[in-house]
Amino acid sequence: MLKTTGVPDKALILTRFPDDVILGKPKAITECYEPIPCNPCETSCPFEAITVGEDINTPPKVDFDKCTGCGICVYNCPGLAIIVAQLKNDKAYFKIPYEFIPMPEVGETVHAINRAGEIIGEAKIEKVTLRKKQDKTALIDVSTNTELIHEFVTIRRMR
Amino acid sequence: MKHVDLLIIGGGPSGLAAAKMAAESGVSSLIIERDTKVGGQLVKQTHMFFGSEKQYAKTRGINIAEILINDCKEHDDKISYMTETTVVGLYPDYVVTVMDRNHKYSKIKANTILVATGASEKVLAFENNDLPGIYGAGAVQTLMNVHGVLPGQDVVMVGSGNIGLIVSYQLMQAGVNVKRVIEAASVIGGYKVHASKLKRLGVEITTNMTVKSAQGNGALESIVVQKLDDDWQFIPGTEEEISVDALCISVGLSPLSNLLSMVGCEMKYVSALGGNVPVIDHSHETTVPNIFVAGDVCGVEEASSAIVEGYYVGLIIGNRLGKTHPHYERLIQDFTQQLDNLRSGPFGEKTRSGLAQLRGEQHA
Ligand SMILES: Cc1cc2nc3c(=O)[nH]c(=O)nc-3n(C[C@H](O)[C@H](O)[C@H](O)COP(=O)(O)OP(=O)(O)OC[C@H]3O[C@@H](n4cnc5c(N)ncnc54)[C@H](O)[C@@H]3O)c2cc1C
Ligand code: SF4
Ligand code: SF4
């Protein structure tokens, strides 16, 4: 239960995912379920794909037709509540925010982690981006098994 | 005796924001800050802030402090500072007594006074709560993020409000093992996005639980936690010992409003606002004319609202002193709207009901 443990229920998570066909292209998954006064996701998206609206307490909604999966909202979200997900070539690809040092390296194998913080498999680091405008929140491209598409949320380095 | 138009007590976000708007209106101010530098609580916040872009959302707290300080620098001719100086007395003849860094006392007289002293952390009563190794969350943030010192290796956080959750995340970033976050209420207090972020790192969050006692020989070695029922009564037989070398307490803030009581402002205890707060009207003026308040001192909230309140009151004070900001009407409306918008959700409910209570009394 989100309210007592911080882990959203599966049904809640699924409300934020488009179907697998749409996921053939990278799409933003906004795991921000609660009305909080916040809207940088909306204002940072260059494609106007995220709407919070007039009342800043409204949870964000993604227009998957407009979302290009660029990942800009991922590092602009102060709640680190957005990831980009994609199903491609029999793999699941993600763009995730990361704020720990040392940074993982491209090609490195890391633990795949679910929303409860448990290890659920392995993942591979595809790309690490940390430009100045990202203000210290790195954007990490990572791949893992397709079965983990609704489970994976972050990585943990081995050792 | 030194004499100023506007004296601002506290150089946090609300004080700095007020100084800027007052300066734009043409009013000179003096900011008195007891710390070595201005910026208030923001200087230890390394995470990105919420809110909208108007309140610098997605910018890290420490960088918001820099923005506010630089804004004030643009009005160097109008804004002056006394740091490492504490206001120790506020009197009805608009005179304050200050103690400077050399422990010298002096007096300053002002036409208008803005009290923007912020809030202080609440303490929690339990056995041995004075053992070294037991900290307030704010102290841990200062140690870690300002001085680069770790409070310990194994930590338990008491309190799951935003501050408890955020400081836990920052402890993890610094390589400290946060063993658990415990919360006496039956639900997590802060934003769930912060809780989820922490949970992903493998940090356990346990509701209906509090700390019962601390043990250690000269310094903290372990704590005993215990489950609570929904009426906050201990459930027998649920004690659990956890070995820790630091315990971090984050159970809320209360307004630092004693200077206002001292000068004779009408005060009211409003728990939704964090404790004893001054009765104010819509212009943030207290019951003592020309003494105004902004920020956490008149209700514990967030930096975003403290900044907007500061801007708002800065305009009002300018107007009061006969120097009206060229865009007064438009800005007043804009800031009022921003505050309403920030407070319109469920997390703003406390502030809304608190302010209603406060104002209801005044119009009664
Ligand atoms: C530990 C802690 C963590 C927080 N974390 C977050 C967060 O993560 N996100 C968020 O949005 N908000 C956070 N807040 C809240 C946010 O920082 C405050 O809402 C905001 O700083 C309030 O601004 P302010 O100007 O009212 O007070 P403050 O920032 O508290 O500034 C008050 C200033 O007044 C000075 N002062 C007080 N008394 C005197 C005196 N007698 N003489 C001279 N100077 C005096 C103080 O030294 C201080 O610099 C946190 C607050 C605390 C205490
Ligand atoms: S991934 Fe890019 S296009 Fe999609 S919502 Fe985020 S910022 Fe907009
Ligand atoms: S920026 Fe992040 S935390 Fe803020 S509303 Fe958007 S998704 Fe939620």
Side-chain angles (χ1 to χ4, degrees), chain B residues 201-267:
Chain B
L201 299 175
V203 177
E204 199 67 42
I205 304 173
T206 313
T207 51
N208 286 113
M209 181 176 269
T210 193
V211 56
K212 193 178 187 192
S213 65
Q215 290 78 36
N217 201 346
L220 183 66
E221 288 165 16
S222 70
I223 55 166
V224 172
V225 296
Q226 191 169 2
K227 292 289 277 180
L228 297 174
D229 63 21
D230 285 344
D231 298 321
W232 297 49
Q233 300 299 312
F234 284 113
I235 303 175
T238 59
E239 293 91 342
E240 196 182 326
E241 185 163 353
I242 307 178
S243 58
V244 288
D245 55 3
L247 181 70
C248 194
I249 310 285
S250 174
V251 293
L253 302 171
S254 55
L256 263 176
S257 57
N258 33 7
L259 287 171
L260 294 161
S261 318
M262 180 172 186
V263 73
C265 295
E266 187 184 337
M267 306 294 288

Side-chain angles (χ1 to χ4, degrees), chain A residues 3 6 34 37 57 99 135 137, chain B residues 51 60 169 188 192 196 344-345:
Chain A
K3 272 184 173 171
E34 179 184 49
N57 285 279
E99 294 189 329
D135 190 18
T137 305
Chain B
R60 296 182 190 279
Y169 181 77
I188 293 168
K192 304 311 170 283
S196 299
S344 71

Side-chain angles (χ1 to χ4, degrees), chain B residues 174-196:
Chain B
V176 174
N177 177 26
V178 178
K179 287 191 142 175
R180 197 182 286 185
V181 175
I182 63 173
E183 165 62 56
S186 57
V187 292
I188 293 168
Y191 296 165
K192 304 311 170 283
V193 287
H194 288 315
S196 299

